Structures are given as C-alpha cells and as structure tokens.
Amino acid sequence: LFESCSGGGGRFDPGILYYMPQTWTSDDTDAVERLKIQYGTSVVYPASAMGAHVSAVPNHQVGRVTSMKMRGDVAMSGNFGYELDLSQQTPEDLEEIRRQIARVKQIRRVTQQGTFTRLQSPFKGNVCAWQFALEDTVVFSAFVTLQDANPELRRVRLRDIPAGRWQDEDTGEVYDASVLCNAGVRLPFIAPGGVPVGDFQSVVMVLKKVE
C-alpha cells in the first residue's frame, strides 16, 4: 500500500488517489486539531482516504496532552494507525491500545465503506460529532474539547437511521430509531450531579439493529 503525501500543503490530489488510495491528512496529529482537519477534509474526500494516526504526547506540533482514548477515538474515523514508541507507553495506555485495535477491527468495514454523516461541527463550538452507517450497524462518535461551567445537558441527534430498535454493543441499552433521530444521544461528558468530566473527552458508540 502506497500513501500519498505533499509537503507544504495541497496534500490531496484526486488524480493520485487512483494510484494511492490514501493520503496523509496533515503533519498536525494533535487529536483536538484533527477534529477540524478530518471534519473539513470529509467535505470532499471519503474517510477511507484520510490517514489518521495516534501520535505521542505532548503532541509535537502544539504541545497538548490528550488521553490515549481520545487520540484513538479520533483516529478511528480515518485510516487508523500508530506513530509512537510502544516501549514508552504506560501499562494503562498499552491496555487501551489493545482495546482500540479490537474496536477498529470490529468497525473498520463500517468506517471504510459506510455512509459518513457530519452531525455537529467543531468549527461552531466545543462539541464535534459524526456517524458512519452501513446495513445494520451505526458507528457514532462524539468529542468535547473545552468544557463549560454549568454545562447544559448535551444531546446529539443521529440522522437517517432506519426504523427499528438499535442496541449499544457496549452497554446493552436499546434505542428506538425515532429516539436516536429526534431526542438524540446523551453525551456522557457530564458526571452525575452536573459536574463536567474534564476537557478532551470522547465516545465511540456502536449500534446494531436488533429488530
């Protein structure tokens, strides 16, 4: 597999994608920055064409520290990979990496071949969300960058979910499609009692149609 890249910008070239089916999206690998980079790139190019890797922290470009979980959750929405020294990771991060690899194997057919829908723009606030849908599976991803004091109860409405009941594969909770599209999914970024759980949070929900 060849990956296209272009120093100095102008990385994506529709012609070269015929020969090299993925392109390195940006040297800026910070997870928070990548929300805007990948969201904007997806307006023209499919997620399957976007190289999206988990890098080390503090990030080389902006010096930001984000969790292994958030870095992985962002990268799962593109052509997933790692660019870091595994021997320097904590046992907790190595366990998270194992979890991420298992999750990517579970969802990559949906994220690579499914219909991608932008739900909430990172250019318009602190929350970003999108979804992938293919046949009987929906992969919903949401992210918060900077938390607000006394935040409102955040929900994100999914789109074009076929009628029926859908089960969260992690929690077992079942939702009707009408609830997902009209009331939306409550984002787990606020702990009981209304206290935010901190900056740079993420969730990836896999929904399977059960009836």
Side-chain angles (χ1 to χ4, degrees):
L1 174 68
F2 283 89
E3 179 179 78
S4 171
C5 184
S6 171
R11 293 174 181 273
F12 277 78
D13 182 322
I16 205 67
L17 281 174
Y18 179 86
Y19 302 97
M20 300 179 181
Q22 73 180 50
T23 300
W24 182 231
T25 318
S26 173
D27 285 338
D28 186 347
T29 57
D30 172 63
V32 176
E33 294 276 287
R34 274 294 180 124
L35 294 174
K36 292 182 178 179
I37 292 168
Q38 292 174 208
Y39 188 98
T41 303
S42 74
V43 173
V44 180
Y45 297 98
S48 61
M50 293 190 283
H53 294 175
V54 180
S55 62
V57 293
N59 177 263
H60 299 312
Q61 285 77 32
V62 301
R64 188 171 7 242
V65 175
T66 52
S67 68
M68 180 65 73
K69 181 180 186 306
M70 182 175 184
R71 282 176 277 155
D73 287 351
V74 174
M76 284 181 199
S77 297
N79 232 311
F80 186 84
Y82 291 94
E83 292 196 30
L84 42 73
D85 186 345
L86 288 175
S87 70
Q88 300 300 310
Q89 307 309 306
T90 66
E92 293 77 14
D93 280 349
L94 288 174
E95 184 58 36
E96 175 62 21
I97 287 171
R98 294 185 189 98
R99 187 199 68 80
Q100 289 172 3
I101 292 171
R103 173 54 62 91
V104 168
K105 289 180 178 179
Q106 175 194 15
I107 68 174
R108 61 187 172 191
R109 181 169 173 266
V110 181
T111 58
Q112 298 296 297
Q113 300 178 23
T115 299
F116 178 75
T117 304
R118 292 172 291 277
L119 301 174
Q120 197 151 331
S121 171
F123 294 95
K124 296 182 179 180
N126 292 337
V127 175
C128 171
W130 49 59
Q131 71 180 49
F132 296 87
L134 182 66
E135 299 167 352
D136 64 347
T137 306
V138 172
V139 177
F140 167 73
S141 301
F143 312 88
V144 65
T145 52
L146 300 178
Q147 290 279 10
D148 300 316
N150 299 317
E152 63 182 346
L153 180 64
R154 291 190 171 110
R155 288 183 177 272
V156 174
R157 295 175 180 174
L158 279 63
R159 295 183 192 163
D160 302 322
I161 305 300
R165 296 173 67 78
W166 295 76
Q167 184 172 42
D168 183 334
E169 290 216 322
D170 290 331
T171 67
E173 188 168 356
V174 177
Y175 303 87
D176 190 84
S178 62
V179 173
L180 294 172
C181 294
N182 294 297
V185 174
R186 179 178 176 179
L187 302 185
F189 302 144
I190 302 174
V195 180
V197 295
D199 298 333
F200 316 135
Q201 302 292 324
S202 62
V203 62
V204 175
M205 179 186 295
V206 181
L207 297 164
K208 295 285 289 187
K209 197 170 190 294
V210 291
E211 59 181 65

